[in-house]
Amino acid sequence: MATVYVNDGLSPTAAAPQNRVESYDLGGKVRFATMKYTAPATGMPQIGDVLVWVPALPKGARVIPHLPRQYFATGTASSTLTVGDGASAARYLAATAITTAGSAVCEAAAASGGAYITGTASGDQMITSTVAGAGIMASQVITLHLAYVHD
């Protein structure tokens, strides 16, 4: 029978030479960023508008796929919101209805089995959300909890 090493960079008994283990693969510090947005009473974000969540992620960070969540209060009928970055508007969450109170897991970057490391594309450290379908309702509260590994 063959022995197949899934990640030879992490295995001390791998047949291939050891690679440097990155902190986002093993032993990195998990960090959380909680960002809250309350839409103003007038001049709410409309279709195509972009919310920029501050602070930006550090270069080399990896968002942990199953932990980040976006929570939202009841909003305008047909309104949707993505979670992405400056390089890909829906990297972490495809357009999701924010019409009734609820939450969504931001795991799109890992859906194909991959993991995305910030610093790969220009502007990818800046987390954004794009409004579609309808504008955000006045006074609607949207909170993004983002977990990532760095160092």
Side-chain angles (χ1 to χ4, degrees), residues 3-138:
T3 301
V4 178
Y5 295 96
V6 176
N7 189 340
D8 66 358
L10 302 180
S11 174
T13 59
Q18 293 291 305
N19 296 322
R20 179 178 180 272
V21 178
E22 296 291 345
S23 61
Y24 50 69
D25 283 329
L26 182 66
K29 296 177 184 175
V30 177
R31 299 174 187 232
F32 289 90
T34 300
M35 299 158 273
K36 179 180 169 185
Y37 173 75
T38 302
T42 59
M44 294 78 60
Q46 298 300 314
I47 295 172
D49 287 351
V50 176
L51 304 176
V52 177
W53 300 97
V54 177
L57 295 179
K59 184 176 180 179
R62 174 183 283 173
V63 173
I64 302 169
H66 64 288
L67 294 178
R69 291 186 81 86
Q70 178 176 270
Y71 293 90
F72 36 87
T74 300
T76 308
S78 303
S79 184
T80 66
L81 202 60
T82 66
V83 176
D85 55 42
S88 174
R91 184 178 313 281
Y92 303 107
L93 180 67
T96 300
I98 57 170
T99 56
T100 58
S103 67
V105 179
C106 304
E107 61 185 358
S112 62
Y116 188 77
I117 310 302
T118 61
T120 305
S122 177
D124 65 356
Q125 291 112 312
M126 188 59 64
I127 303 300
T128 63
S129 290
T130 303
V131 179
I136 292 177
M137 179 180 275

